[in-house]
Amino acid sequence: CVMIIRYAKSLGILFENASDGFVFEDDPEIQNYAREAVYTCRKYGIISGMTETTFEPRSGATRAQVANLFMNFCQKYIF
């Protein structure tokens, strides 16, 4: 999520405040530097989490999950 938000910024795409009131159950496990990016990506439909209520920041992302993240970003904000 951090990479996507930084990439978007380099393209001149700026996202508004990420807070929409939703908090993942495993929010304390999300690193401080990444928290805002995670919630920004969720708010803008780039990611949804591993389940409806968890993000699982300590588990690895599969190649398919990363591809889906980039596809969502590109479809919504690039093309």
Side-chain angles (χ1 to χ4, degrees):
C1 291
V2 171
M3 291 187 319
I4 284 288
I5 297 303
R6 288 179 182 170
Y7 177 59
K9 187 176 180 180
S10 77
L11 296 175
I13 301 169
L14 302 175
F15 295 101
E16 293 181 16
N17 185 342
S19 178
D20 65 357
F22 177 85
V23 177
F24 285 111
E25 288 177 2
D26 52 2
D27 178 80
E29 295 178 33
I30 301 171
Q31 295 291 316
N32 289 335
Y33 78 91
R35 187 169 282 115
E36 184 175 349
V38 167
Y39 285 105
T40 298
C41 284
R42 184 195 170 278
K43 179 179 178 181
Y44 288 95
I46 300 168
I47 59 126
S48 58
M50 295 297 258
T51 70
E52 289 184 25
T53 60
T54 62
F55 183 67
E56 298 181 22
R58 303 233 184 250
S59 67
T62 66
R63 204 176 323 182
Q65 289 168 323
V66 174
N68 191 13
L69 180 145
F70 277 97
M71 181 187 69
N72 289 342
F73 173 74
C74 288
Q75 286 180 337
K76 291 174 186 263
Y77 301 102
I78 303 294
F79 304 114

